[in-house]
Amino acid sequence: MRHLLRVLAHRLYTTWSTFWFVLPFVVTYPVMWVLGKRPAWYPHLHSFNRGWSIFSLRMWGMPVQVVREKPLPASQPCVYVANHSSYIDIPVLFKAIPGYLNIMGKSTLAKVPLWGPLFGRVYITVNRESAVSRARSIIEARKSLEAGRSVVIFPEGTISKKPGEEMGPFKNGAFQLAIAAGVPIVPVSMPLNHRFLPDLDGKLRVRYSPLRITLHTPIPTTGLTAADAPALAQQAYQAIASGFLPEAAGIPAPSHFRLPKPAAAAAAPQPEAIEPDAELSLHKS
């Protein structure tokens, strides 16, 4: 019975979380669609995205601890570099980082029905398999910084295979960008996002988990050259890794229960475990 109640609780929480993520978008979509018509209105569309993210996080009932090691530079934009571990990384970043942000995300995000075209207009999309697309995205990010708009980049390029435990190697593009623009790098650690919503090859598994995001001390780039990008990447890598929590490593297991063994078939082989965990199709972020 205890296992059955756990399965039901997981199912209910998955349904609750999905509902409160989708409903605010559906309700506000007409307004966001209008705001996506003109570039001058994009900052207001970003505000809607931020509000949607914060509201959903609150309705999920999860406390989100935001740690800022040092005050963020107030007079200039920054390049924020964060570990990538979950589909909810962007909502958590929107909650923690103030201002009109630009996000660099996969080009497939722009293909998500309804929301995708809005994302593609307001933020930067990149096909990481295309050198031309990667170059174009860096140019767009440089223009964003010159306009005073900070940029968020996941330097791993994809969700980690061992989230909260190990990161993939960092690509140098974000660090070359910061050096060329003369803006600080701000490392960002999100050690618990995968505990709430892990990447499961298109399947949905939601688990209640308090969240934490750490904005580490900004790293200045003044006086650096492109040759310093690998060392800067390594410095940011170490800062982000320092925010990981050993107890948070690993993906939450699926909920399951075992069928009771019939009394008349006590000697028969035991039935296999049934795993009715919510494994729903989901677009990859």
Side-chain angles (χ1 to χ4, degrees):
M1 178 60 70
R2 178 171 56 87
H3 297 295
L4 176 59
L5 291 176
R6 181 184 301 162
V7 170
L8 293 175
H10 287 165
R11 284 289 188 91
L12 287 172
Y13 187 65
T14 296
T15 302
W16 173 271
S17 300
T18 303
F19 176 80
W20 285 112
F21 184 74
V22 173
L23 180 65
F25 173 75
V26 173
V27 170
T28 61
Y29 180 75
V31 177
M32 291 194 289
W33 182 82
V34 172
L35 293 176
K37 288 295 184 178
R38 296 185 181 180
W41 296 342
Y42 289 175
H44 302 296
L45 179 53
H46 175 73
S47 296
F48 266 84
N49 282 329
R50 184 193 300 279
W52 172 25
S53 298
I54 293 173
F55 180 79
S56 294
L57 287 166
R58 287 177 178 172
M59 293 309 298
W60 295 338
M62 297 185 306
V64 181
Q65 182 183 18
V66 180
V67 179
R68 297 181 177 88
E69 291 184 347
K70 292 286 181 67
L72 299 175
S75 59
Q76 66 180 142
C78 302
V79 174
Y80 294 88
V81 290
N83 66 294
H84 201 7
S85 64
S86 170
Y87 300 115
I88 63 162
D89 289 345
I90 291 177
V92 174
L93 288 163
F94 280 170
K95 174 179 174 59
I97 303 175
Y100 178 34
L101 294 177
N102 209 340
I103 298 280
M104 187 177 293
K106 292 181 180 180
S107 57
T108 53
L109 289 175
K111 299 177 182 179
V112 176
L114 299 179
W115 178 76
L118 297 177
F119 183 90
R121 292 173 196 168
V122 181
Y123 307 109
I124 300 170
T125 59
V126 54
N127 178 358
R128 295 188 175 94
E129 303 301 320
S130 168
V132 173
S133 179
R134 293 197 303 269
R136 184 182 296 115
S137 68
I138 292 297
I139 292 173
E140 291 181 21
R142 178 69 182 271
K143 291 179 179 178
S144 178
L145 292 168
E146 291 173 350
R149 184 182 179 190
S150 293
V151 178
V152 178
I153 298 176
F154 299 108
E156 294 171 271
T158 187
I159 291 178
S160 171
K161 298 298 182 184
K162 294 184 177 181
E165 185 176 357
E166 295 179 5
M167 289 182 286
F170 280 6
K171 296 175 174 58
N172 288 331
F175 307 96
Q176 293 171 343
L177 170 67
I179 291 171
V183 301
I185 284 282
V186 181
V188 181
S189 299
M190 295 182 287
L192 296 166
N193 291 2
H194 66 287
R195 302 294 298 177
F196 172 78
L197 185 61
D199 175 22
L200 296 172
D201 294 324
K203 298 175 182 178
L204 180 64
R205 181 180 301 163
V206 178
R207 296 290 181 269
Y208 177 87
S209 174
L211 302 179
R212 175 187 175 97
I213 179 170
T214 301
L215 306 179
H216 296 279
T217 302
I219 305 172
T221 61
T222 305
L224 300 183
T225 68
D228 297 308
L232 183 60
Q234 182 61 26
Q235 185 178 356
Y237 188 102
Q238 292 173 349
I240 295 171
S242 71
F244 285 2
L245 305 172
E247 64 272 20
I251 301 296
S255 55
H256 63 84
F257 64 90
R258 295 184 180 278
L259 293 174
K261 183 172 57 177
Q270 293 188 359
E272 291 183 283
I274 294 179
E275 299 186 357
D277 190 55
E279 307 285 21
L280 307 178
S281 296
L282 184 74
H283 289 284
K284 245 183 174 326
S285 68

